[in-house]
Amino acid sequence: MLIVMNRDATKEQLDAVIRTVELQGYTAHPIPGGDRTSIGVLYNQGAVDDALFRTLPGVKETIAVTKPYKLVSREFHPSDTVIHVGEVVIGGEQLVIIGGPCAVESEEQVMTIAKHVKIAGGDILRGGAFKPRTSPYAFHGLGEEGLKILAKAKAAFGLPIVTEVMDLDCFDMVEDYADIIQIGTRNMQNFSLLRRAGHAGKPILLKRGMSATVDEWLMAAEYIMTEGNPDVILCERGVRTFVKHSRNTLDLSAVPVVRRESHLPIIVDPSHAAGYRDQVMPLARAAAAVSAHGLMIEVHHAPESARCDGGQSLLPDQFEILCRQMRAIFDVSTSTKS
Ligand code: PEP
Ligand code: MN
């Protein structure tokens, strides 16, 4: 439930409502708004009896929250969450473009690709130093050496970096280097990792689990937020279906649904959805057209020798064309937002 205070409610009245919530054994979560404060009621097992709160001094109204998620919901937080990463603004009016290789392979590789990403107008550099791979025999990333390479690219080109954290063991290390910490599809319901992410001082990019419903995905974000980290970026990366013509099926309908249900920014990764280079550009254009807040695109200058996901990586020239196209489409789609 959400308890909405009057505009002129006093601090004493607010404290009295919080005390009453806590006396019931619930947790009160004050949400300061532009002109009034609301108090979210958390950790109730069943329905909350609103009669207890409706008549307290300073209370305007109570609103039943019907969804299982609360902190991530629009009901709790009507305005969009806007996340600042250096000079990049995620969740605002601009389409944010993240580009880079699947995996950090060498300093030369990352520097080459980062330069292309920068010149093309990309905003953020991606690259995995810890790679979750289906096969134990595959390349699993360079670990801390890879993070150091990303740090060099960041210093050289002024691009913030997003990189994946795979487990609790490497969390502190990844947090030291990353500007945005990625939790991958395979870890979307790794609840201890989500709770740790809730204590991170950096934004979290939370990919959708490959078979997760939107509700399950939003509940995963709720884990991060309940631990105190409000900066969660959702990333749609395709879900597992029966088709064979693509690696996954990009669920673009999730974008308007998430934008309706949640205030958190949502970006789209067409590379892991497609699995094939020729599908990435059309899917990226479609993602911009449905008003995703950003895109994450794999780019490689020598995809034939990439150690991971070369077949779905765009060539630098394609990435440059795509950056131009996407910004134009996003401008149209946000000016006709309904
Ligand atoms: C990635 O972005 O490098 C990645 C492994 O993606 P996903 O978790 O979506 O498979
Ligand atoms: Mn990849």
Side-chain angles (χ1 to χ4, degrees):
M1 192 176 71
L2 196 61
I3 305 167
V4 183
M5 302 300 291
N6 282 325
R7 250 192 219 118
D8 56 359
T10 63
K11 163 118 184 29
E12 288 68 34
Q13 290 171 336
L14 190 71
D15 290 344
V17 174
I18 291 172
R19 263 197 314 278
T20 312
V21 171
E22 287 170 350
L23 276 173
Q24 296 300 309
Y26 310 141
T27 300
H29 182 87
I31 308 164
D35 56 8
R36 61 175 87 244
T37 297
S38 300
I39 299 164
V41 179
L42 302 179
Y43 295 102
N44 53 300
Q45 294 309 322
V48 178
D49 180 5
D50 71 334
L52 285 168
F53 305 101
R54 240 182 6 219
T55 50
L56 291 177
V59 172
K60 177 174 182 281
E61 59 179 337
T62 59
I63 300 172
V65 176
T66 47
K67 303 288 185 201
Y69 40 83
K70 295 166 192 269
L71 300 180
V72 307
S73 75
R74 276 241 181 248
E75 285 159 318
F76 265 55
H77 190 294
S79 60
D80 286 351
T81 284
V82 177
I83 298 173
H84 294 261
V85 180
E87 286 173 9
V88 182
V89 180
I90 306 169
E93 293 302 312
Q94 294 301 313
L95 180 78
V96 171
I97 301 175
I98 303 170
C102 179
V104 175
E105 299 167 17
S106 68
E107 185 172 329
E108 192 202 351
Q109 171 239 19
V110 170
M111 287 298 184
T112 305
I113 297 171
K115 189 173 176 193
H116 285 301
V117 169
K118 180 75 183 182
I119 290 170
D123 302 293
I124 297 174
L125 178 68
R126 66 148 286 147
F130 293 91
K131 294 301 305 172
R133 302 299 300 277
T134 302
S135 166
Y137 306 117
F139 174 58
H140 286 84
L142 297 180
E144 186 166 18
E145 192 195 331
L147 296 174
K148 287 186 174 152
I149 293 172
L150 287 171
K152 279 190 187 164
K154 172 182 171 175
F157 299 104
L159 293 166
I161 53 181
V162 54
T163 193
E164 179 163 354
V165 66
M166 241 176 56
D167 51 38
L168 289 174
D169 291 346
C170 66
F171 206 110
D172 290 355
M173 189 195 286
V174 171
E175 188 177 1
D176 279 348
Y177 289 91
D179 295 294
I180 302 174
I181 301 166
Q182 178 172 324
I183 294 186
T185 195
R186 294 158 187 82
N187 269 320
M188 190 207 82
Q189 282 190 320
N190 180 337
F191 298 114
S192 37
L193 199 63
L194 296 174
R195 286 198 191 279
R196 172 64 183 83
H199 295 279
K202 306 271 174 75
I204 307 297
L205 190 153
L206 178 65
K207 289 198 152 192
R208 181 179 179 183
M210 60 183 82
S211 301
T213 63
V214 168
D215 276 7
E216 288 165 342
W217 186 20
L218 293 177
M219 289 305 277
E222 186 86 9
Y223 266 87
I224 300 170
M225 289 192 71
T226 52
E227 296 295 324
N229 189 346
D231 292 337
V232 182
I233 303 154
L234 299 162
C235 178
E236 161 63 37
R237 47 79 70 202
V239 289
R240 178 70 58 90
T241 68
F242 55 85
V243 306
K244 292 200 166 53
H245 58 265
S246 59
R247 181 173 173 182
N248 292 287
T249 296
L250 184 61
D251 179 15
L252 283 179
S253 60
V255 176
V257 173
V258 166
R259 286 190 70 136
R260 184 187 71 214
E261 298 298 329
S262 177
H263 51 89
L264 296 174
I266 174 164
I267 70 165
V268 169
D269 169 355
S271 303
H272 289 91
Y276 299 98
R277 184 175 307 123
D278 63 329
Q279 297 174 23
V280 172
M281 290 175 74
L283 291 177
R285 290 192 293 265
V290 292
S291 301
H293 293 103
L295 289 128
M296 181 184 252
I297 310 280
E298 286 187 340
V299 184
H300 206 293
H301 62 299
E304 60 292 341
S305 57
R307 299 191 72 181
C308 187
D309 287 349
Q312 68 193 30
S313 299
L314 290 191
L315 293 158
D317 288 356
Q318 293 175 306
F319 180 70
E320 201 259 318
I321 294 168
L322 190 62
C323 285
R324 263 187 282 130
Q325 292 178 341
M326 287 192 293
R327 294 197 199 282
I329 295 167
F330 185 80
D331 287 347
V332 173
S333 69
T334 47
S335 66
T336 56
K337 210 158 40 186
S338 62

